[in-house]
Amino acid sequence: VERSRGLGDVYKRQELFHMADIIPLIGIPYPPSGRSNYNIPCPCCDDNPRKKHLNINLQKDVFRCPRCGFSGGVFDLYAYYAGISRESVREALIARLDVHGNIPNPKPIKVEEVPECPLADIDDRHATYSALLSRLSLATDHRENLLSRGLNLEQIERLGYKTTPVVGTGVIAKQLLAEGLYLSGVPGFYRKNGQWMFVSEQRGILIPFRDLDGRIQGLQIRRDNVSKRKFRWVSSVGKSDGCRAESWVHIAGDLRSTIILIEGPMKADIVHELTGQTVVAVGGVNALSHLEQALRTFRERGVKKVMTAFDMDFLKNPHVKNGYENLKTLLIQTGYEYGVYLWNPDYNGLDDYVWKYCLQGGKPSQ
């Protein structure tokens, strides 16, 4: 019998059936170059075939779309594409596959086993990321961008924003190892030909995701010159001895009885620095896997009310709107009062609106 894995209702596979078995039956793309972890267009939210948000994991026999939350196991994926109930999937697969699990019109899939490291603990990640950022600089254009958003030089330095490294990541990794720091289990680090490296992502600003004690849990990148998916997690999943990032919660400021919940750590940092308010950030309105535990911890420390302040496009974006409904349910279940901040939609983000308001000589509402 398949067992629930918790959030997202993701199911473990039955021994008889695997994700690789149903690929030719439901007509989704095969994995490129034998990879065991790949993305395809999400049938629920991708309206363009060039967009590929649905991740298929052949090793774990699960799938998930971080954009709309469509997720599950072998039976769930087959049920969706075949247009049948989940309860009917087992018999349908038995009818289409013989007892040995052979596929009538087989196309062999060689699954590449890529070793993945378990996540290092928060203290080790914080030490490694802090040492990494101390070796990086902030490019002039990135500094000017942050200044134009309302931060000053002291705040930028204290927050730890840096420009992504383009070359020399192997040298930096070797220096970190020489200092006795852990790279195994720290998202972004991996081995190439036996040597530790840090991922060379598209150029952008590295942004620390900090916990209640100011420790760096992980990093995000604000990518240059892109209009879609501008913010991405630093992850080395799929690389040898790499590690996946998780949907951590970022906290800017000491906890108060009322907190502001926003999307993205940069927005949270800016709003906190301009207003002094406590601002908590998630990676996206659909990225709530770590938020429930954080909310319970906040309650224990005296937080009573949550004011949401997601970008104003949540009113017209159905995927964001669905995520927001899930968020409201979570806030109710964890016993919070909640409200919604709305502002002039000419300014999509609260950070833009607050900075404009400050420039005009006012003082943002407390």
Side-chain angles (χ1 to χ4, degrees), residues 220-276:
Q220 274 198 345
I221 300 174
R222 182 186 184 276
R223 301 185 296 160
D224 295 349
N225 304 318
V226 296
S227 57
K228 301 290 186 180
R229 299 187 68 197
K230 186 177 288 289
F231 291 86
R232 293 185 61 181
W233 287 105
V234 171
S235 171
S236 46
V237 66
K239 298 180 182 292
S240 181
D241 289 325
C243 183
R244 70 183 64 246
E246 299 188 6
S247 300
W248 291 293
V249 174
H250 173 75
I251 296 94
D254 296 329
L255 290 181
R256 298 185 177 190
S257 60
T258 297
I259 63 174
I260 300 173
L261 184 62
I262 205 168
E263 180 181 357
M266 182 180 287
K267 286 185 171 66
D269 288 339
I270 292 171
V271 173
H272 168 67
E273 296 295 343
L274 293 177
T275 69

Side-chain angles (χ1 to χ4, degrees), residues 138 142-161 205 207 265-275 351 355:
L138 185 65
H142 288 156
R143 182 179 296 104
E144 292 302 319
N145 180 282
L146 294 168
L147 290 171
S148 72
R149 293 169 178 271
L151 296 176
N152 60 40
L153 291 175
E154 183 276 328
Q155 291 166 342
I156 293 170
E157 179 67 23
R158 174 164 44 79
L159 292 169
Y161 294 161
I205 302 174
I207 310 165
M266 182 180 287
K267 286 185 171 66
D269 288 339
I270 292 171
V271 173
H272 168 67
E273 296 295 343
L274 293 177
T275 69
D351 55 329
W355 177 227

Side-chain angles (χ1 to χ4, degrees), residues 138-214:
L138 185 65
T140 301
D141 60 321
H142 288 156
R143 182 179 296 104
E144 292 302 319
N145 180 282
L146 294 168
L147 290 171
S148 72
R149 293 169 178 271
L151 296 176
N152 60 40
L153 291 175
E154 183 276 328
Q155 291 166 342
I156 293 170
E157 179 67 23
R158 174 164 44 79
L159 292 169
Y161 294 161
K162 302 290 175 145
T163 296
T164 53
V166 179
V167 296
T169 63
V171 173
I172 293 175
K174 188 177 295 185
Q175 293 172 346
L176 298 179
L177 285 172
E179 292 183 12
L181 295 165
Y182 288 95
L183 305 187
S184 174
V186 180
F189 288 94
Y190 67 101
R191 290 185 199 265
K192 182 177 181 181
N193 299 324
Q195 180 182 354
W196 280 102
M197 309 285 289
F198 186 73
V199 290
S200 297
E201 291 277 358
Q202 181 174 336
R203 187 176 185 272
I205 302 174
L206 284 173
I207 310 165
F209 246 79
R210 299 184 184 272
D211 69 0
L212 271 171
D213 298 315

Side-chain angles (χ1 to χ4, degrees), residues 33-61:
S33 305
R35 288 172 55 190
S36 63
N37 196 325
Y38 68 110
N39 281 39
I40 66 171
C42 177
C44 297
C45 70
D46 283 332
D47 53 5
N48 186 318
R50 290 177 295 181
K51 297 178 180 179
K52 297 180 180 180
H53 287 103
L54 186 68
N55 180 262
I56 307 291
N57 191 315
L58 299 182
Q59 285 182 289
K60 297 183 178 180
D61 286 329

Side-chain angles (χ1 to χ4, degrees), residues 1-2 9 11 14 17 73-80 82-95:
V1 178
E2 293 192 288
D9 199 26
Y11 295 90
Q14 285 192 354
F17 304 110
V74 175
F75 281 18
D76 303 283
L77 194 64
Y78 187 88
Y80 182 89
I84 62 176
S85 68
R86 192 176 187 280
E87 292 72 21
S88 306
V89 170
R90 187 175 185 277
E91 294 302 320
L93 288 178
I94 289 174

